[in-house]
Amino acid sequence: PVTLLGQKKKRKYINKMADQKTNVMKDIKIDKLILNCCVGESGDRLTRAARVLEQLTGQQPVFSKARYTVRTFGIRRNEKISCHVTVRGDKAAEILERGLKVKEFELLQKNFSATGNFGFGINEHIDLGIKYDPTTGIYGMDFFVCLTRAGARVARRKTRQQKVGFPHKLTKDDAIQWFQDKYEGVVLAKAD
């Protein structure tokens, strides 16, 4: 039997939640930032690009191989052609801030995916504050940001795995709103 005291506690809790109006579980945070530097050939240029990524992040980059041979690009199947690194936590937020500063906090609508992630590219890594080194050269890179909400692990864990409910999933509009709120960024419909 439900006591009167139990109902009062429940009502008090509901009123308290109504006062707060914000759900901590709905807060959006950066899950990871992937930096990709595709050189299109193996050898010295690729190792120099890897050195640039290592300077930027302080982590050892991973090399990616070509999926198939493309004669016109001069690449063979299984040849190492790019390197990438995944950064998480505060370091990811700091590097993302530097990348967005290069883009002047302006992104396009098409930079955002339907699943609430976004990406952009920069042409010169020296814009990020790394000193130019003539022996290294200048490399461009892609930034890709995966956003998440608390509780996303439910879909990925090994035991008791379940789907994330639709209201809790991130959408394109959520990601755009987060970008505008957090970085006071501008989202343009088309490139000028």
Side-chain angles (χ1 to χ4, degrees), residues 153-165:
R153 182 178 166 270
V154 166
R156 293 198 211 105
R157 63 189 179 189
K158 194 165 183 178
T159 58
R160 301 201 319 278
Q161 194 174 33
Q162 282 147 3
K163 289 180 180 173
V164 173

Side-chain angles (χ1 to χ4, degrees), residues 24-187:
V24 200
M25 294 293 279
K26 284 273 190 183
D27 287 350
I28 297 172
K29 57 182 187 248
I30 299 170
D31 183 28
K32 59 186 172 182
L33 166 70
I34 298 105
L35 296 171
N36 179 41
C37 189
C38 187
V39 180
E41 60 184 76
S42 57
D44 198 34
R45 276 194 71 210
L46 184 61
T47 51
R48 287 201 302 257
R51 199 180 318 133
V52 166
L53 282 181
E54 196 170 349
Q55 268 181 336
L56 182 62
T57 60
Q59 292 175 216
Q60 189 72 37
V62 178
F63 294 101
S64 302
K65 294 176 179 178
R67 284 186 286 185
Y68 37 77
T69 303
V70 181
R71 294 280 300 274
T72 52
F73 296 154
I75 57 169
R76 293 186 303 277
R77 187 169 180 267
N78 285 336
E79 180 185 6
K80 289 179 181 175
I81 56 167
S82 77
C83 53
H84 65 273
V85 66
T86 302
V87 190
R88 296 173 195 270
D90 295 333
K91 195 192 286 182
E94 186 253 319
I95 294 170
L96 174 62
E97 180 112 31
R98 280 158 64 184
L100 287 169
K101 211 173 278 179
V102 173
K103 298 296 275 186
E104 295 174 348
F105 297 95
E106 281 187 5
L107 292 178
L108 299 175
Q109 196 102 34
K110 67 177 185 179
N111 285 84
F112 292 85
S113 75
T115 51
N117 303 316
F118 67 95
F120 59 92
I122 59 166
N123 295 327
E124 299 179 350
H125 74 272
I126 53 173
D127 294 336
L128 296 167
I130 298 175
K131 202 167 180 295
Y132 173 67
D133 181 13
T135 57
T136 306
I138 292 176
Y139 293 96
M141 61 185 70
D142 303 320
F143 283 65
F144 195 77
V145 184
C146 293
L147 299 176
T148 188
R149 281 190 170 126
R153 182 178 166 270
V154 166
R156 293 198 211 105
R157 63 189 179 189
K158 194 165 183 178
T159 58
R160 301 201 319 278
Q161 194 174 33
Q162 282 147 3
K163 289 180 180 173
V164 173
F166 188 74
H168 202 67
K169 280 184 180 166
L170 276 169
T171 61
K172 185 174 185 170
D173 296 332
D174 291 335
I176 290 172
Q177 190 62 51
W178 176 85
F179 171 67
Q180 288 170 337
D181 292 346
K182 185 160 171 102
Y183 295 106
E184 293 167 6
V186 180
V187 178

